[in-house]
Amino acid sequence: MGIINGLEAWHGGSRADGKVGVVNVMGFTARQEQGGCCSGRREGNGNLRYSGLGHGNGGMSMDVEIRGIKKAYFRKKVLTDISFSMEAGSCAAILGSNGSGKSTLLSILAGVRKADGGSFFYRGTDLFRCPGQIPKALGYVPQGDPLMEELNAWDNLRMWYDRETLKRELSEGALKLLGIDDFLKTPVRRMSGGMKKRLSIGCAVVSHPGILLLDEPSAALDPVCKENICMYLDAYRKEGGIVLMATHDAQDLELCDACYILRNGTLHSWEYGGDFHKLAEAL
Ligand code: ADP
C-alpha cells in the first residue's frame, strides 16, 4: 500500500465509530453494515495502515467489468450496449455531446438509476445484483453539488463522518489532501465552485471506496481548483483507486489512461492526443 505525501489515503473502509452508518454516495444514501471490510491501525511513524478492501485485484484480470448496460427512457434508447473494463489504479474519461447519456450511465453505475439490462462486476460481485455493496464500493459526485446550502463545510461533513474520523481525515487524510481544512467554517452558499466540488468529493469518499465516479468534476472551475482536484484524483488513483469521469476538460483528460466517446448508446475507444479540434470532430 502506497503512501501519498507522507499520508496514507485509504479507501474501501467503513466508519470508524463502529456503528451501522449512513454512507453518502452523493445523490442518494444507503445503509452500510459496519465491520469486515476494512481495519486500520496506526504505525509507529504516524501513518495509517489499512487492510481489507485494499486495491489489489485479488487475482481477477480486471477489477471492474461492465457488460451490456442498456437504458431507455420510455421509447428513447439512451444506452444500448455499454461494455468496458478497468483495473485498479486506472482512470477513464467518458466524453460525448450533450444528451448522449453520460450522466445516465454514471448514475446507473452509482445505483441511483436502474439499468434495463447489463452487469457491473466489481472484484467478482455484480453490484447491480448486490446493491447493498455499492456504498462500500464506490463514491459518486454528481454534476450539481448535493450539499446543504445553509451549513458550513464542517457541518456538511459531520452529516457523513463521525467526529474523530473527520478530525483525522482533515489533519492527515483525504480531506487534508483536498484542502478542505482551509474553509471549514465557510457556509456552502458563500463557497466558490471549486470549494463546493472539493467538499462534495470529500463527502463522497467517506466510505473510502475503491471506485470514484465523477460527473464533470472540473466544469466551470478555475485552473487552480482544477489542479487541486486533479492532484487529489491522481493520488487516489496511485493508491489503487479507480476513477471514472464524464469530462471534456483537457487537464482531466491528461490524468486518464483511457478515453471513450459515448455515441448512439455505445462507447467508442478514442485517443485524445491533446488536440481539441480532433475532439470536436470525434463527438
Ligand atoms: P448527458 O449527461 O450526456 O448530457 P443525459 O444522460 O443527461 O446526457 O441524458 C441523455 C438523454 O436522456 C437526453 O436526451 C435526456 O433528455 C434524456 N433523459 C435524461 N434523464 C431523463 C429522464 N429522467 N427522463 C426522460 N429522459 C431523460
Side-chain angles (χ1 to χ4, degrees):
M1 192 174 289
I3 291 178
I4 304 158
N5 296 338
L7 310 170
E8 191 138 38
W10 53 290
H11 312 282
S14 56
R15 275 181 59 153
D17 59 3
K19 294 178 188 155
V20 172
V22 177
V23 170
N24 182 23
V25 285
M26 310 308 291
F28 80 115
T29 57
R31 306 284 293 174
Q32 181 192 28
E33 295 298 325
Q34 296 302 293
C37 60
C38 179
S39 58
R41 70 189 160 81
R42 191 173 294 279
E43 297 191 318
N45 60 7
N47 289 316
L48 290 166
R49 285 259 158 208
Y50 288 86
S51 58
L53 245 181
H55 294 309
N57 71 2
M60 282 185 64
S61 54
M62 286 290 182
D63 290 66
V64 166
E65 296 271 1
I66 287 164
R67 293 286 165 258
I69 292 182
K70 299 181 199 348
K71 177 71 181 176
Y73 293 111
F74 306 102
R75 285 201 197 130
K76 182 176 179 160
K77 290 182 179 172
V78 176
L79 307 175
T80 54
D81 179 10
I82 301 291
S83 302
F84 63 102
S85 12
M86 293 183 76
E87 60 185 349
S90 67
C91 176
I94 302 195
L95 305 102
S97 50
N98 290 342
S100 58
K102 303 178 296 296
S103 299
T104 297
L105 174 58
L106 290 180
S107 63
I108 284 172
L109 296 178
V112 174
R113 285 197 176 103
K114 250 180 122 65
D116 298 331
S119 56
F120 173 15
F121 278 91
Y122 177 53
R123 298 190 176 162
T125 301
D126 185 353
L127 296 179
F128 289 166
R129 287 173 186 270
C130 306
Q133 300 287 317
I134 289 179
K136 277 186 274 181
L138 64 84
Y140 172 45
V141 184
Q143 233 169 329
D145 298 304
L147 301 166
M148 300 292 283
E149 286 280 321
E150 64 277 16
L151 301 182
N152 63 24
W154 169 267
D155 291 333
N156 267 280
L157 290 163
R158 277 288 285 127
M159 296 182 67
W160 309 109
Y161 289 80
D162 66 274
R163 186 176 289 275
E164 287 315 305
T165 308
L166 179 52
K167 282 186 182 164
R168 193 173 64 230
E169 290 288 311
L170 283 166
S171 68
E172 57 183 18
L175 302 178
K176 170 85 177 168
L177 216 54
L178 284 161
I180 294 174
D181 50 332
D182 291 343
F183 57 90
L184 279 176
K185 296 281 169 234
T186 308
V188 171
R189 64 175 184 281
R190 288 209 213 114
M191 285 182 193
S192 66
M195 288 170 170
K196 286 185 194 174
K197 193 55 74 182
R198 285 184 280 156
L199 182 56
S200 298
I201 295 173
C203 293
V205 297
V206 62
S207 65
H208 312 290
I211 307 170
L212 195 48
L213 306 174
L214 303 115
D215 200 343
E216 304 278 1
S218 300
L221 300 188
D222 69 44
V224 177
C225 288
K226 281 186 198 175
E227 179 69 18
N228 186 297
I229 288 171
C230 280
M231 274 171 58
Y232 172 74
L233 295 179
D234 196 36
Y236 174 87
R237 182 177 74 133
K238 284 183 175 141
E239 188 65 14
I242 293 171
V243 180
L244 178 64
M245 57 181 149
T247 185
H248 296 104
D249 185 89
Q251 218 164 332
D252 291 344
L253 293 178
E254 276 165 27
L255 270 183
C256 296
D257 318 286
C259 297
Y260 299 98
I261 292 182
L262 179 49
R263 198 190 311 116
N264 300 327
T266 60
L267 292 179
H268 305 262
S269 207
W270 182 73
E271 200 144 326
Y272 170 46
D275 183 350
F276 258 89
H277 291 295
K278 241 177 63 184
L279 172 58
E281 282 165 19
L283 296 182

